[in-house]
Amino acid sequence: EAAEQIQRPLTPHRLAMASTLTTLLLLLALSAAAVSAQRNFTIVRYLNVNTTQGPIRGAVIETSGAAENSKVHIGSFLGINFAKVPTGEFRFAHPVFTEWNFVQDALDFDRRCYQDPGTSGDYQTMSESCIAANIWTPYNGTSSNPGSYPVLVWIHGGRFETGSITDETYSGRVLTSHESIVTVSLQYRLGVLGFLRLSSTVAPGNMGLKDQALGLEFVHNNIERFGGNLQTVTLMGLDAGAASVGYHMLNDNTKTYFKRAVMLGGSPMVFWSVRNDTSLVERLHLDFAVRQLGCPLPDQGDFNATIQCLREVSPEKLVNEQLNYNRLFQGVEFPPVIDGDYIKEDPIEAFRNGRFEGMSLMIGVTNAEAAVYVERSLESQKLTQDQLADRATYERVLRDQFRYYERQPDLLSVTGQRVMYDRLTDFGNPSGPAQYKRWMDGASDRLFVSAANEFAEKMFEKNQGTSNDVYFYVFSEQDNTPNYVGASHGSDAYYFFGNPSDDAPIVKPEQTQLSDRMMDYLAKFVETGDPVPRDEEGVWAKYNSSHRFYHNFTIDLETFASKYNVPYGFRRDDCGFWDQTLNYVNTLVESVPTTTAMTPTTTPTTTSTTTPATTTATPEPSTRPPIGPVPSCNFVFNTAAAITLGVLLPTNLLTGAALGFLFFKYNKAVKGVTPV
């Protein structure tokens, strides 16, 4: 057969901007330091595989190998539709397998699940027939035995509202051709079509997570037919995908489908990944159906008319109205929920209390996770970095971006806001660029780093006494994109998938070598649970609670660290502010300002002053958090911190004294020494 040349241009999705934190998270998920590029490979011949649901036809493709100027042949199966199309009665329902008695073509795939089309407004590449899997395998049909290769399953990110497996940036082609592992990517429903929740039986929510789970079951049932080794299946995800990996760890069924986990730029403990108030979500979603779409209210708990109306609305209109609704209610409407079925309890509480099974874990963040977030936020508000030098402007920006604490829709208290302002202000150099950097670091810690640190700690504790280990990394390689400060969200995935090794433009030879090394470490972790077997801790030390080693991925070790292994964790003191200090301050009861009443007496020349009893800002007994160390961070309270908090709180002098005494006792109890 004549060879067929396939070219796929990489076109990053463009998203409309809004000023809220939750909407801007969409941009983080799509940053990935992606650049336009043409990726070329050649179809050599077709290759059929019989799955448990029916036969499919993929292709053997010729592509670049690991050795310079080498070519290899790998199997490529794109867009395998393993589930019934979720339209009609299957819209807003849990997915189900489909079967077919014809040869399903899996040669190309360009259908994304419905999502924000960006400023182009183009829905042409989207479809409700989007629940699918891509598979790349070293098996190329030259032998009757497909082999037994390590298996990596990828769940894309996008805050459960955007993303796809059609993006060449996250193609498994390079990873498979360089490392001889089977790479799988899963696509799932998003936004209103994937997470609408009306009740436990009608539009039950978490449909997108169930799509992922069905994909994992498809992999479990069929991956050996593609040359995969079931005993090595590793689940990997970025931001929302990383959170999903954690949710699957907690589910009794899906946790049996994989052995190891890799989390990039996220974890199931990020505050924005799930809503713990399911009844609130149900009310919001019903309001969306009635107010935005004109559907009828349920009749005495009967949702039949409501759901029938929603099923008749076009997917384009559903997404458009979702975007309008997000602008109105700050993007809290279509998240995963605690449904009592797939997610049985709050994942954050489950992991904090050890109600999960341990496994080997690779987890990491970039050193500037929120770089895209702060840059686009500044643009959306038509501000420059220099304008952040104005205190009022800077406080307004921070108030808008950090309005929620601890979980949406709970608002950060006025006291908490004041403490946060000072924490994120550079008093030594109050210039606009300095404040911009403080804001970026604070947003990175709040949105990503704190949760990754805490999850690594919890997994390490759970793995004690087992052969499972935790490996933490920080990706510090400067983005090639102008204006980014450090490595932005998703740029680690860009390297793990081998983009700099695949003729990507504007890369240095050292960056190509870094990408090659990262692919090698990832493949070894998938195969063995150890990214550097027999390394003897020389290159990538195991994470432990004493030293909290992390591996630094960069070509410039002199700038970021003196060696690969860096002890004592990444930004753990800073994330302590979000995890512990602000958590405590936010629960203090806001006191009424003290007033002084001037009462005249019978003597005109004298005045009697009456002062009300002193009121101190004391936490309510039911909400008072424990004064003690939080495992995820090492923030140290000292006398200066206590005095600062006391002054900042809108109370009187006794509040400062009380807080000073509390933090004095904290230091003495935890450290065993007197604060200085």
Side-chain angles (χ1 to χ4, degrees), residues 57-357:
R57 181 177 72 156
V60 174
I61 63 173
E62 182 177 88
T63 187
S64 299
E68 188 175 1
N69 299 322
S70 67
K71 297 291 183 180
V72 297
H73 290 176
I74 62 172
S76 173
F77 301 83
L78 307 180
I80 305 170
N81 294 115
F82 54 82
K84 287 184 181 294
V85 179
T87 54
E89 64 179 310
F90 295 104
R91 183 190 272 186
F92 306 121
H94 290 159
V96 292
F97 277 128
T98 187
E99 295 183 354
W100 57 91
N101 56 11
F102 57 91
V103 179
Q104 181 186 142
D105 266 340
L107 298 173
D108 199 2
F109 190 60
D110 59 2
R111 296 188 307 277
R112 294 182 289 156
C113 290
Y114 273 96
Q115 58 192 272
D116 182 359
T119 55
S120 69
D122 183 13
Y123 286 104
Q124 295 303 309
T125 61
M126 301 180 198
S127 170
E128 288 191 81
S129 178
C130 65
I131 305 172
N134 293 337
I135 300 177
W136 295 267
T137 172
Y139 172 55
N140 57 27
T142 56
S143 169
S144 59
N145 180 7
S148 185
Y149 300 97
V151 180
L152 176 67
V153 180
W154 166 254
I155 301 177
H156 71 76
R159 209 188 62 117
F160 302 106
E161 292 192 353
T162 64
S164 76
I165 61 174
T166 67
D167 191 342
E168 182 70 22
T169 303
Y170 305 123
S171 163
R173 175 176 56 85
V174 180
L175 192 54
T176 294
S177 64
H178 280 230
E179 300 297 336
S180 292
I181 66 172
V182 177
T183 310
V184 183
S185 57
L186 301 177
Q187 188 157 276
Y188 53 98
R189 285 171 287 177
L190 303 164
V192 59
L193 287 163
F195 294 92
L196 179 74
R197 166 81 181 198
L198 295 181
S199 74
S200 60
T201 56
V202 177
N206 293 344
M207 288 81 71
L209 292 178
K210 285 291 189 77
D211 295 345
Q212 298 173 14
L214 199 69
L216 286 172
E217 186 176 350
F218 175 80
V219 170
H220 183 78
N221 294 339
N222 292 282
I223 203 63
E224 291 179 325
R225 300 167 186 243
F226 294 86
N229 181 349
L230 269 179
Q231 301 308 310
T232 63
V233 175
T234 300
L235 193 54
M236 173 177 170
L238 169 67
D239 71 47
S244 298
V245 172
Y247 303 154
H248 296 313
M249 284 183 182
L250 296 175
N251 186 270
D252 291 338
N253 292 325
T254 51
K255 70 182 180 183
T256 65
Y257 294 151
F258 59 103
K259 307 296 182 184
R260 293 181 264 278
V262 182
M263 298 180 180
L264 286 63
S267 91
M269 302 186 80
V270 290
F271 71 94
W272 49 263
S273 66
V274 71
R275 296 288 171 263
N276 56 348
D277 188 344
T278 304
S279 62
L280 172 62
V281 173
E282 290 175 350
R283 293 195 300 272
L284 286 171
H285 288 192
L286 181 59
D287 182 74
F288 170 77
V290 175
R291 291 178 181 270
Q292 297 293 118
L293 298 170
C295 292
L297 284 166
D299 182 13
Q300 296 182 346
D302 184 350
F303 285 87
N304 285 334
T306 309
I307 196 66
Q308 183 60 35
C309 170
L310 288 168
R311 286 171 175 160
E312 293 173 356
V313 178
S314 72
E316 292 86 357
K317 183 174 176 61
L318 282 171
V319 174
N320 285 337
E321 293 303 327
Q322 171 191 324
L323 298 176
N324 293 334
Y325 202 63
N326 281 359
R327 292 192 191 98
L328 183 62
F329 287 97
Q330 316 254 337
V332 303
E333 295 80 14
F334 300 100
V337 295
I338 302 168
D339 58 3
D341 176 25
Y342 200 81
I343 301 179
K344 297 184 182 300
E345 66 170 319
D346 186 342
I348 292 178
E349 295 303 316
F351 285 109
R352 280 180 177 165
N353 291 286
R355 292 190 290 272
F356 66 100
E357 294 182 11

